[in-house]
Amino acid sequence: MTITERLILTPFVLDDAKLFYELSKDPLTMRYLRKCEHTLKSCEELMKKLKVKYGDHPVFNMHKVQIAATGEEVGFITLHKIPDGTDAEIGYNLLSKYWGKGYASGGCQVVIDRAFSETDIDSIFAETDPENDNSLQLLSRMNFKVQSEPGPDQGVMLVLLKDKK
């Protein structure tokens, strides 16, 4: 668990399927993501598979984001280690009613800082839809740089390198 002045980030638990389901029903949140129909039961099954994948790793996991002052559940930030290397991929999905409040950037920064300080990760990638201006601006503010332009059925790939000070 990581607690900041504004946010609480915790590795997800199976009961978080309800939040995952709520995200899947938010049309603004899902606008640039793979289209799929989720039921609460399918979200519960997916969460079980993800729990096997991530276990209880404190950094490489799907982190539930909550507002520290109220406990409101905002969404998830995921950090996935790319096998056999020193790279990871970050992703985020927040309920649209919480956009523009700094929760995505604040939560991502916590996860990035932990990845660079507590693991052997040298670079973190993010992929986003080329039409998702909000996500591109967020990643740019966090110093991610475009690594490759989108191809067929691919998004813009951005990368953040560990500062080697």
Side-chain angles (χ1 to χ4, degrees):
M1 176 186 302
T2 304
I3 300 174
T4 71
E5 186 176 310
R6 298 184 68 216
L7 299 173
I8 300 169
L9 279 76
T10 55
F12 79 98
V13 295
L14 295 178
D15 282 346
D16 292 330
K18 294 176 193 116
L19 174 59
F20 197 89
Y21 178 60
E22 190 177 345
L23 284 160
S24 76
K25 294 188 316 181
D26 184 331
L28 292 175
T29 297
M30 298 304 291
R31 180 176 177 188
Y32 298 107
L33 298 175
R34 229 175 270 127
K35 305 293 184 246
C36 54
E37 294 293 322
H38 281 293
T39 63
L40 181 55
K41 182 153 182 64
S42 71
C43 290
E44 290 169 346
E45 291 303 316
L46 179 59
M47 296 300 259
K48 288 177 187 174
K49 290 177 185 174
L50 292 172
K51 194 49 125 172
V52 169
K53 176 179 179 177
Y54 292 115
D56 292 319
H57 198 283
V59 179
F60 302 117
N61 212 319
M62 186 165 76
H63 304 272
K64 179 172 64 175
V65 180
Q66 294 175 270
I67 299 171
T70 64
E72 290 172 81
E73 297 176 337
V74 172
F76 296 102
I77 297 172
T78 302
L79 188 70
H80 167 75
K81 187 173 191 315
I82 307 219
D84 303 322
T86 57
D87 302 325
E89 182 175 12
I90 196 165
Y92 41 87
N93 196 357
L94 277 61
L95 291 166
S96 60
K97 66 183 179 181
Y98 296 108
W99 293 0
K101 300 178 184 338
Y103 300 137
S105 59
C108 284
Q109 196 60 59
V110 166
V111 171
I112 289 166
D113 290 348
R114 289 193 68 194
F116 284 150
S117 67
E118 298 175 24
T119 74
D120 65 346
I121 292 299
D122 290 326
S123 58
I124 298 176
F125 292 87
E127 182 179 4
T128 191
D129 188 294
E131 295 181 13
N132 189 342
D133 292 333
N134 289 337
S135 189
L136 287 167
Q137 290 171 13
L138 169 72
L139 293 165
S140 177
R141 283 194 310 272
M142 291 190 306
N143 296 316
F144 278 76
K145 305 295 181 215
V146 173
Q147 182 179 13
S148 66
E149 294 298 327
D153 297 322
Q154 292 181 321
V156 177
M157 187 64 72
L158 300 99
V159 65
L160 177 67
L161 301 176
K162 183 176 186 176
D163 188 0
K164 304 277 186 176
K165 288 182 187 177

